[in-house]
Amino acid sequence: MREIPGRRRRLLSRRTDGRPELIDAALTFATEWQWPVLPGVAPDPQGRARCACPDPECTVPGAHPFDPGLLAATTDARMVRWWWTNRPAAPIVLATGRTAPCAVSLPALAASRALALLDRRGMRLGPVIASSARWALLVKPYSMEQLGELLYAKDFVPGSLRFHGEGGYVALPPSETGQGAVRWERAPLPGSASPWVPDVEAVVDAVVDALTRTGVSAPEL
């Protein structure tokens, strides 16, 4: 496949400690894939399981927008470069919906077993983002009406599934959050301007069926 100019350099760029440069990854997402991003609030340096935001009960430490807010997400290279030049360790947050992918997430153990079953069935999946707690499957943008109709038609939907649509967000690799590193469980395929992602209907149908068939108890997380 044809490689996008500059993309390989950005994705393979490393810091002195061997980890990818966040600014290079953020520029790839924003300028080459046209995904609107913004810096997330960092984990609390006094305790990485806590968040640097004012909420002492934050449930996604270091993995959400704070200052700037979600509406500031952009694909503008100058703004992205300025953010990560001044905050080089800030997690990369994707503003889901509209022109960017949305996501369906579920607890890591349940996700691992569900993906294994879907692989055996030969189902094509798009990029999958993984953290120690949850995995997120990227899907095409959807409306709340579309999601509502999809869920209403089902007899059962696990309560542990979360939907990240318009007005939502997910942290992107190679961010470090209060729950540890964010990585690609299924990396985007090289050679396309923007990674292919499936429809939300296909993913929800397959994941719900897989969870039911494997008998995975997916706790609320």
Side-chain angles (χ1 to χ4, degrees):
M1 293 184 179
R2 182 181 62 85
E3 228 175 43
I4 300 172
R7 180 179 176 203
R8 180 175 176 81
R9 182 181 66 255
R10 287 177 180 169
L11 291 181
L12 295 184
S13 177
R14 294 291 187 272
R15 306 186 313 197
T16 56
D17 63 3
R19 294 193 58 245
E21 290 278 9
L22 287 162
I23 188 171
D24 290 341
L27 284 167
T28 293
F29 299 141
T31 64
E32 296 182 9
W33 296 356
Q34 291 297 295
W35 291 2
V37 298
L38 75 163
V41 61
D44 188 337
Q46 302 302 315
R48 295 192 63 82
R50 300 196 304 268
C51 191
C53 76
D55 182 3
E57 304 298 326
C58 181
T59 57
V60 283
H64 66 89
F66 177 63
D67 182 17
L70 187 63
L71 292 179
T74 184
T75 59
D76 182 77
R78 291 173 298 177
M79 191 73 249
V80 170
R81 192 178 298 278
W82 186 87
W83 275 332
W84 272 275
T85 298
N86 289 277
R87 298 170 58 183
I92 304 170
V93 174
L94 167 69
T96 54
R98 291 196 178 181
T99 59
C102 294
V104 178
S105 72
L106 63 161
L109 177 60
S112 176
R113 295 181 179 177
L115 262 63
L117 178 59
L118 298 183
D119 283 345
R120 292 195 294 272
R121 295 178 177 177
M123 179 177 175
R124 183 185 182 191
L125 294 173
V128 178
I129 302 165
S131 69
S132 61
R134 297 185 71 84
W135 291 10
L137 288 68
L138 297 186
V139 298
K140 292 179 181 177
Y142 57 78
S143 67
M144 292 304 296
E145 291 78 11
Q146 181 183 4
L147 180 63
E149 291 176 1
L150 172 63
L151 299 182
Y152 181 77
K154 295 203 161 298
D155 295 328
F156 170 74
V157 176
S160 58
L161 285 184
R162 293 179 187 167
F163 299 92
H164 310 260
E166 186 175 346
Y169 58 87
V170 291
L172 292 171
S175 301
E176 284 282 345
T177 74
Q179 295 177 332
V182 179
R183 61 179 176 80
W184 294 113
E185 173 63 26
R186 302 289 171 88
L189 295 176
S192 59
S194 183
W196 177 88
V197 292
D199 291 327
V200 65
E201 293 94 339
V203 167
V204 172
D205 287 346
V207 168
V208 170
D209 182 60
L211 293 179
T212 302
R213 289 179 180 274
T214 57
V216 175
S217 177
E220 293 281 359
L221 289 173

